Amino acid sequence: MIMEAAPADSNLYPTHHEKDDSIRKGCDPFAQTQRSKLQHRRARINQQINKEMRMRAGAENLFRATTNHKVRETVALELSYVNSNLQLLKEELEELNSSVEVYQNESDAISVPMIPLGLKETKDLDLAEPLKDFLADHYGEDGSLYEKEINELMNLRQAMRTPSRSEAGLELLMEYYNQLYFLDNRFVPTNRTLGVFFHWYDSLTGVPSCQRALAFEKGSVLFNMGALYTQIGARQDRLTVHGVETAIDAFQKAAGCFSYLKENFSNAPSLDMSAASLNMLVRLMIAQVQECIFEKFVLENPQNNFFSQLQLAQEAARVEDVYTLVYRTMMHPPVKDYVPFSWTTMVRVKAEHFKALSHYHAANALCDFSTSPGQELMDHEKAFLQFHTTPPEGLNISFLLQDQEERRKLGKAHLKTAVMKHEEAMRIHGLCKILRKMDILQEVLALAHKRSLSNYSDIDHEEDFFETGDAPDIQPRTQQKPEIKIPVFAKVKVTDIFHRLGPLSVFSAKHRWRPAQKVHLARGDDGFGFTLRGDSPVLIAGVVPGGCADCAGVKEGAYIVSVNGEDCKWAKHSDVVQLLKDAGKEGVDIEVVTFQSADMHNMVLDKKTSMLTSSEILRGNKENGRKTIVISKHSSTLFLWNRKNNGGKRNPNIPNISALQLPFSAVQSNESMY
C-alpha cells in the first residue's frame, strides 16, 4: 500500500477556459447546484488537508532528527498548531458529509431523509508522455500519431470527475471504467505499471492517497459509481410508487458496487475502500432499501384493516432490525472512528423510530378492529400466532382476539412502547448538533410522537388500575427481500480508444515483439513463397525454403501488419489476399512483426490453428473460397490490483502453450499458399 502527499496547488476541477469539446454527455463541471457547490467545498477542504498533512510530516521528521532543545520546542508548538488546523478541517468536512438534506428531493412533503455519499475527488493526471513512451518502446509506433486517442482518453477522465446526478452520469463513469480495461491490457505489462501516480482523496476524511496501480483508479471510479447511485436514490420523491421503486433500485445498485469492490479488490490505500468500510456501506444501503420497501408497502396498501396493520408492523420491525445491525457495524473499530457522528446518530434514530412505528401499527391492529367468530377468527389467529417473537404471557390467542378489553390492554402496552421509543429517538436526535439543524427529520419524529401519544390518550381510561406492562417484541418480516445488484459493465458498450493498434488478443502489453521488419517481395513463378492463415492480423504460417519470402528474410510465425503502406492489423484474410493479388511485376512491400520468444510464437500458432478463418489459395490467379469459422472472444471488464486466487483453474479462453511446428510441406486445408 502506498500513501503519498499530493501537491496542494493542483486544481480539482476544470476551469472555464477549457475547450467546450471536453464537456461530454453526463458531465456538469460548471453546474451551480447546491450539490455541486457542496462538492466544490469538499474539494477545497481536501486540498487544505493535504497541505496541512505535508506540513505535519515535515515537522515530525524535523522533530525526530534534531537534538536542539529550542528547535524541538518550536517544532512541537508548530505541530500543535498544524494538528489543531487539521482537526478543524476534518470537522468542517464531516459537517459537509453530514449535509444529507442537499441530496434529498425538493418536494415540500415530509419524508425521512436518506444518507447519500459524496464523490471521491481526484487530481489532474497527464498520461500523454507515459503513453507515447510506451507506444514507441513496446509497439514501435510514433506516439505523436496517437495524440487524438490520448486526448480523447484524457477528456474522458476529466469529464468523469464531475458526473451529473443522472443515468447519463452513471454511464459516463462506466464508460471510463470500461476504457480502463483496454488501457490496462494495452499499456500495463505484467508486474509493471504505467509509471504515473493516481491520486484520490478519501470520500469522508479528505486524506489523500496515491498508487501507481491502475486498479486503484478502477476501484475509485467504481466507488464513485456507488456514491452516485446513493445520491440518485436520495433525491427521489418517495411519496409516489415510481419514486420509491427508483430509490429501491438505486440503493440496491449502490450496494452492488460496494459489494463488488469489497469482494474483488483488496489492500485499498484509503479507508473508504477498506473491507470494513465497504461492509458497513453495503449494510447501510440494504437498510435504506428496506426503509423504501416499508414506504412502498404503505403506498400500495391504502386499505386499513387488521392484516395490513400487522404487515406494516412487521415491515417496520424489519427496518428497525437492519438499522440496528448497521449501527452495531458502525460502532466497531476502525469504522467507529471513521464514520461521521451524524451518520451513526441518524442510523440509531431510525432504528428507534421504526421500532416505535412497529408497535404503533400493532396497537392499531388490536384497537381499531374486532374479530368475529368463525373463519375470520381462524385467519386472525393464524396471523397473530406468527406476529410476536414470544406470545403474550398468560393469554390464549383466541380469547385475546375476541375480548375487546384484552385487546385494548395489549394495544395500550404497544402504544406505551411506541411513545417511549419515539421519545428515545428524539432524545438521540437532540444529542447531535448537525442533526438538530435538520428540520425535516425533526418534524417527522415530532409528528410520529404526537400521533402515538394521541392514540395512547384515546385508549387510556381513568379507571384503569392495572399497570401497563411491556409489549412483546414484534417478529420482523418483509414482503420484498432487498437485492444486491452487481454492476453490469457490459451495459455500456465502448470502443477501444486505441483500436488502431490492432486486435487486443495480439497487440497487448503482455506480448513482446521484435522490431517491425519491412521487406520487399517480388512474385516468383510459384508466388511469394509463403503460407498465410487466419485474419486480424494474418499470420505467415509457413515459408517455402529458397522462395522469395525466405530470401527476403521473412520468418514463419510473423504477422503481416501492412501491405504497400496500408494498415492490415484488422484486415480480413481475403483483404490481404486481394492486396497481394493486386501487386504487379514490381512486387509488393510488406511489414511484419514477430514475437520475441519461441514459446509465444508456438502459442500463437496453436491459437491460430483453433481459429479457422476464410482462406483462398492464389496459384495462377485462381481462387478457392473457403468457409469462415468465427470463435467469440471473451473479455472481462475488471483487472484487480490484488486478484483473489481462482483455485489454480486455467482460464478456458487462454489456449494451452504447446509446440506446434508446421513444415511447409504440411499445408493445412485452412491455409492459403502464395
Side-chain angles (χ1 to χ4, degrees), residues 614-633:
S614 62
S615 58
E616 299 165 316
I617 296 180
L618 177 62
R619 284 184 179 179
N621 290 330
K622 292 183 181 180
E623 299 179 7
N624 287 326
R626 299 188 182 276
K627 295 182 180 180
T628 301
I629 301 175
V630 180
I631 297 180
S632 64
K633 298 177 182 178

Side-chain angles (χ1 to χ4, degrees), residues 306 362-371 384 388 391-415 459 461 464 466-472:
F306 180 79
N364 285 353
L366 288 164
C367 299
D368 294 351
F369 306 98
S370 59
T371 302
F384 208 71
H388 291 109
E393 293 183 5
L395 284 176
N396 178 277
I397 298 298
S398 179
F399 173 72
L400 168 66
L401 291 174
Q402 294 180 80
D403 188 279
Q404 285 298 115
E405 181 60 21
E406 291 299 330
R407 290 175 73 127
R408 185 182 72 85
K409 287 181 180 179
L410 184 56
K412 186 177 178 181
H414 278 295
L415 277 175
I459 66 170
H461 297 168
D464 282 346
F466 63 87
E467 183 178 348
T468 305
D470 295 330

